[in-house]
Amino acid sequence: MSYYANKKVLVTGGASFIGSHLVDKLVDAGASVTVVDDLSSGKKENLALSMKQISFIEGDIRMQSVANKTTKGKDIVFHLANVHGGRGFIETNPGELVQNFMIDGNVFYYCHKNTVERICYTSSACAYPTSLQSADPKKQVRYLSEEMANPFKEGAALADGEYGWAKLMGEMALKAYNKQFGVKGVSCRLFTVYGPRENESHAIIAFIGRAMLRQDPYEIWGTGQQDRNFTFVDDIVDGLLLSAERVTDCRAVNLGTDEITKIIDAAKTVCRIVGYQPSKFSFDLSKPEGVHIRAASIENQKKWLGWSPRTSFDDGIRKTIDWYSKNVDVQALRANFEKRLFER
């Protein structure tokens, strides 16, 4: 029997891209699922497969009353609710991003007060020091391992902007509840997730959108030489489920693949699979491009979870393109594509 069978589970931000996939798998595993989402970026249609089998609450977790109400009587809380977007959004909305301190504080406080058995907190690779992800080969670290981001370790706390600091502080807060009160949980550092139900503010969907629009020259933000390890959403969800089951001391664990792809190569892969070959790729250095390199060390996820992602980049892109092509209105996309790149 599944670990999650008959468990009372809350997913905050459960109508989001990642959250909705997690909800679907929890329902399949036999859990009793409640979703709370304010629908500021999540969509009810993301939950179409599971809506009749879950309890859905439209509410803002920044409100203490909502955090208190939704965590009562729960065995496990998967905490995904946060103010987030693609690189364009996080570079231009710092005041909104720091509201994540409030969101995480509310969730952890009321999980503890209401004796939730376990908390799975979705952190981010943005928690890692940007100094380790620079273009300087003398400073950069090829694969980031969990101990390299630590607010109490000299040289290990230089997170990626306000969003990264909020995530690192969220990890610290969860660990503090473990230290003082014995709260059980885990922080999962997610690495460049992509897949169906994501929007154009993130690189892969933006690349697919550009290919569908037959953009020429085909625009890429930054130099195109940035490295990422794009991780398919189904793999990330499997990692979240295993993390919540197997890690209880509130440590951080990477969830990512060790398959490294340059941004320019990701764009070319998308174009190849869509069946579109632009005459030229252009590189807009005025746009946010993020850190130069970012890839997960997968050693601890294999050791602690007995798991690693299974979906290759090529296969994941094919699945994502298949979903996007069935759901996008190309004329509407053409009308507001540039605006979508900076939205949540």
Side-chain angles (χ1 to χ4, degrees), residues 79-339:
H79 177 33
L80 287 81
N82 72 136
V83 180
H84 179 43
R87 181 55 59 172
F89 180 86
I90 67 174
E91 292 277 354
T92 55
N93 294 271
E96 292 186 54
L97 294 171
V98 297
Q99 294 172 37
N100 289 326
F101 292 106
M102 181 195 317
I103 293 169
D104 296 341
N106 281 350
V107 171
F108 297 155
Y109 175 77
Y110 285 105
C111 280
H112 169 55
K113 181 179 179 181
N114 292 323
T115 62
V116 170
E117 183 182 319
R118 297 191 183 191
I119 304 167
C120 181
Y121 173 58
T122 50
S123 185
S124 168
C126 289
Y128 282 102
T130 54
S131 55
L132 303 179
Q133 303 168 75
S134 74
D136 185 348
K138 294 179 181 179
K139 296 179 180 179
Q140 65 184 218
V141 174
R142 179 66 286 178
Y143 293 101
L144 299 163
S145 58
E146 287 82 353
E147 75 281 356
M148 293 176 183
N150 184 337
F152 302 112
K153 181 180 176 183
E154 186 175 356
L158 186 61
D160 187 356
E162 290 83 359
Y163 181 73
W165 272 107
K167 286 303 181 185
L168 185 59
M169 292 300 96
E171 292 181 13
M172 183 186 73
L174 182 59
K175 187 66 177 179
Y177 274 93
N178 171 259
K179 287 179 182 177
Q180 184 172 352
F181 305 117
V183 167
K184 294 180 179 179
V186 61
S187 291
C188 295
R189 292 177 183 160
L190 311 187
F191 279 73
T192 322
V193 191
Y194 73 98
R197 304 178 195 165
E198 195 176 35
N199 64 37
E200 292 83 4
S201 75
H202 292 78
I204 294 301
I205 302 297
F207 289 161
I208 297 171
R210 293 184 194 281
M212 297 281 285
L213 293 174
R214 301 305 197 251
Q215 188 182 71
D216 199 0
Y218 184 105
E219 184 179 280
I220 293 173
W221 288 5
T223 63
Q225 297 304 305
Q226 313 96 295
D227 282 352
R228 296 293 183 269
N229 54 350
F230 295 100
T231 312
F232 191 60
V233 65
D234 286 355
D235 289 323
I236 287 292
V237 168
D238 289 342
L240 290 170
L241 292 169
L242 283 169
S243 297
E245 178 182 350
R246 299 182 181 180
V247 180
T248 60
D249 62 359
C250 295
R251 80 186 78 163
V253 58
N254 289 342
L255 297 185
T257 173
D258 60 355
E259 183 182 11
I260 298 173
T261 306
K262 286 191 179 297
I263 291 291
I264 179 60
D265 293 332
K268 289 180 177 179
T269 297
V270 166
C271 289
R272 170 174 56 81
I273 295 173
V274 169
Y276 169 63
Q277 182 60 51
S279 64
K280 179 182 179 182
F281 289 91
S282 65
F283 301 92
D284 189 343
L285 303 183
S286 71
K287 295 291 199 310
E289 64 176 315
V291 294
H292 184 70
I293 64 169
R294 175 170 288 161
S297 167
I298 64 170
E299 294 309 307
N300 286 328
Q301 69 184 26
K302 290 192 292 186
K303 184 191 307 181
W304 298 339
L305 309 180
W307 167 88
S308 58
R310 296 179 296 178
T311 308
S312 71
F313 184 60
D314 207 80
D315 286 347
I317 291 297
R318 290 182 186 279
K319 292 177 182 179
T320 307
I321 290 171
D322 181 62
W323 165 82
Y324 191 78
S325 63
K326 293 174 181 175
N327 288 274
V328 68
D329 179 332
V330 175
Q331 284 195 326
L333 180 68
R334 192 181 306 279
N336 63 4
F337 182 70
E338 292 301 320
K339 181 181 177 183

